Amino acid sequence: MSASPSGMPTSFTLSRRALLGGLGGVAASSALSSCGGFSRPESSGGGGGDTLRFKTWASDAEKSAFTRLVKAFNEAEGVTVELEVVPYAEMFTGIDTELQAGSPPDVFRVDYPTLGTYSSTDQLLDLSDQLEGDLTDDLIPALYQAVQYDGTPFGVPHQTDTTAVVYQPRLLREAGITGVPDSLDSAWTWEEFATVSDQLRASLPDGVFPFAYDWQQLGAYRWLTWLFEADGRLLGEDLRTPEIVSAEGRKALEFTRQFLEKGWVPPNTSVKGATYPDTAFASQKVAMAFVGDFLLPSMETTIGDGFEWQVTYQPRDVRASTDLGGNALVAAAATENADLAATFLRFMVDPDNMRTFCEETTELPTRQSLVDTELDFAVRPDLMPTFVEQATTLTPDDVAQVTVPFFAEINTVLQNELELCFVDGQSVDDTLTNIADALESAAG
């Protein structure tokens, strides 16, 4: 299949109602204090020279886009921003080590759920005086809220992304599955998704599985999509009190525990597994895969003309949901060149620069002015409307629960406890209780 199949649109306009409807008006991330481990850095200043170090992880498409934008900034400002791209697995252990040593990069990339770990411990540059109203008023409110702590902005939301389900039509047809949801309203219910998985399990050969889910390693928090779909909560409205021990929590855990028990997913794609869904899908080890839109460029490159693949919506239960994907750009409080760092952050979220970054990387913008404009996505623009519509299912309550300052600790707890439940036989009741106990401890 080509990147732009004949007859498919090569661009489309994001719907303001669609994208903002699910993200608007998120509650504050709370004033909770997070984990320690960092010392308070010396006050930053301006005029520290004309060089910055910008550290990030990046896909091939993101690396290309970052490289182009950094070059443009250097030429426009007559300065030197050194782009440092590292593997994602090394990103935050490296950042933590550098912060503890007092030598962090001037600017770095961080996902929204992890940002609170740094903003709540005084590690990030306060941007209150650096972001003017014409910028902040244009940012999608929920995403601007996600970079704030106690009402102070400590970064700029650079892009967002979300998960949908890619599938091989041939394998579904061979399993007797003749209809695939083409709208949010017609998305498979959990019961229908279980039936589809059973049909695929019976049809597929040994070594090929119905699907893979994107909860590996630091992606463990994506399990919360199932909790939210069951209309459950991780935390109460005070964003401190655990509420996962509930009928909804039990329902979500019992349903997802079946994935490995019934052979719906490959054993090596468990929460602590080493194989990610896009890899399993591209190698034709699964018929369907839950993947983020940011993976489309690399998947298209890997799959090429190998087989046809399309996308549909995530299953729904009481309601639909999805995960908060995407990343912010932040400056370290210890930077010796705060003014230049802030100038670079503003440059990266300039409307034209954000637009081209999103088009090149198949990611979604964070500026409201871009939501209504036509984006010319470089890869599989025919699939992007499904991801955009799926993003609308994330509610303000969902966002608030995954952006608390101690969420990085929660994510580690989820990794450990979900693996114990799914792989090592820990009971559902013990798993829910253990998660709740750890949440209470993390909230302080």
Side-chain angles (χ1 to χ4, degrees):
M1 173 175 287
S2 65
S4 300
S6 176
M8 292 294 184
T10 57
S11 62
F12 68 94
T13 301
L14 300 176
S15 161
R16 174 182 296 274
R17 179 193 59 78
L19 186 54
L20 302 189
L23 295 175
V26 65
S29 296
S30 89
L32 302 179
S33 176
S34 186
C35 61
F38 301 123
S39 58
R40 185 185 297 272
E42 295 295 327
S43 298
S44 58
D50 58 2
T51 299
L52 294 177
R53 182 163 65 97
F54 170 34
K55 186 170 185 175
T56 184
W57 75 94
S59 66
D60 289 344
E62 289 173 333
K63 182 178 180 180
S64 175
F66 277 133
T67 299
R68 180 182 55 75
L69 288 170
V70 165
K71 180 180 179 183
F73 181 77
N74 288 343
E75 292 175 350
E77 298 293 330
V79 298
T80 301
V81 174
E82 299 171 346
L83 176 62
E84 181 181 350
V85 178
V86 300
Y88 181 75
E90 300 174 9
M91 179 70 187
F92 294 108
T93 53
I95 290 292
D96 291 353
T97 298
E98 291 175 305
L99 285 169
Q100 289 163 348
S103 57
D106 300 283
V107 176
F108 61 96
R109 191 185 198 195
V110 60
D111 58 274
Y112 301 115
T114 302
L115 193 149
T117 300
Y118 301 116
S119 60
S120 64
T121 51
D122 301 318
Q123 300 304 307
L124 302 181
L125 183 66
D126 179 349
L127 297 174
S128 298
D129 297 330
Q130 299 281 0
L131 305 180
E132 297 181 349
D134 61 343
L135 168 58
T136 57
D137 291 347
D138 192 35
L139 295 171
I140 294 174
L143 297 177
Y144 184 46
Q145 189 68 57
V147 301
Q148 297 181 53
Y149 178 69
D150 273 354
T152 299
F154 287 98
V156 290
H158 185 227
Q159 46 81 216
T160 186
D161 54 67
T162 196
T163 295
V165 185
V166 295
Y167 65 95
Q168 294 190 56
R170 178 182 64 82
L171 295 181
L172 269 62
R173 288 194 299 269
E174 291 175 356
I177 301 161
T178 55
V180 177
D182 60 3
S183 69
L184 273 176
D185 290 340
S186 65
W188 286 315
T189 65
W190 284 11
E191 291 76 16
E192 290 169 336
F193 184 69
T195 299
V196 165
S197 298
D198 282 338
Q199 285 181 256
L200 284 166
R201 181 62 286 163
S203 171
L204 296 170
D206 291 343
V208 181
F209 295 81
F211 68 92
Y213 192 72
D214 54 350
W215 54 20
Q216 290 73 29
Q217 308 301 329
L218 294 177
Y221 74 94
R222 294 193 180 100
W223 175 82
L224 295 174
T225 295
W226 302 96
L227 176 66
F228 296 153
E229 288 171 356
D231 210 22
R233 295 185 64 97
L234 180 68
L235 297 166
E237 292 184 358
D238 62 357
L239 300 179
R240 299 178 64 93
T241 306
E243 288 199 358
I244 193 170
V245 181
S246 63
E248 294 81 9
R250 166 177 282 279
K251 182 179 183 181
L253 200 53
E254 288 179 339
F255 184 74
T256 50
R257 191 178 189 178
Q258 300 178 85
F259 294 181
L260 283 162
E261 288 178 344
K262 294 190 173 181
W264 291 348
V265 300
N268 60 357
T269 63
S270 70
V271 175
K272 290 193 174 181
T275 299
Y276 289 84
D278 56 313
T279 301
F281 185 75
S283 60
Q284 301 194 66
K285 296 299 184 185
V286 295
M288 303 186 291
F290 291 70
V291 301
D293 49 87
F294 63 95
L295 291 168
L296 297 186
S298 61
M299 291 177 67
E300 179 67 7
T301 298
T302 302
I303 296 171
D305 294 327
F307 58 87
E308 180 190 7
W309 55 292
Q310 293 293 336
V311 69
T312 187
Y313 302 85
Q314 296 198 61
R316 60 185 300 156
D317 187 43
V318 177
R319 67 179 178 90
S321 187
T322 189
D323 57 287
L324 174 64
N327 303 286
L329 299 178
V330 299
T335 181
E336 294 182 351
N337 207 338
D339 290 341
L340 183 58
T343 301
F344 180 66
L345 295 182
R346 292 194 298 269
F347 174 84
M348 294 299 284
V349 295
D350 169 86
D352 289 340
N353 295 334
M354 180 180 290
R355 174 193 179 112
T356 57
F357 184 91
C358 290
E359 289 176 339
E360 292 173 30
T361 60
T362 62
E363 294 167 3
L364 305 178
T366 63
R367 294 191 69 132
Q368 299 180 70
S369 58
L370 291 177
V371 171
D372 287 334
T373 62
E374 188 175 79
L375 297 183
D376 186 10
F377 289 106
V379 176
R380 295 304 303 264
D382 55 310
L383 305 186
M384 289 301 293
T386 299
F387 286 95
V388 172
E389 193 172 7
Q390 187 73 62
T392 68
T393 62
L394 196 64
T395 72
D397 265 352
D398 299 344
V399 175
Q401 292 173 77
V402 300
T403 54
V404 292
F406 52 91
F407 193 78
E409 295 174 72
I410 296 175
N411 204 21
T412 299
V413 170
L414 290 173
Q415 288 180 55
N416 295 332
E417 295 299 327
L418 293 177
E419 186 77 358
L420 286 170
C421 183
F422 298 158
V423 176
D424 296 329
Q426 179 170 270
S427 72
V428 167
D429 285 339
D430 285 348
T431 301
L432 293 173
T433 299
N434 291 346
I435 293 173
D437 288 347
L439 290 178
E440 190 168 13
S441 176

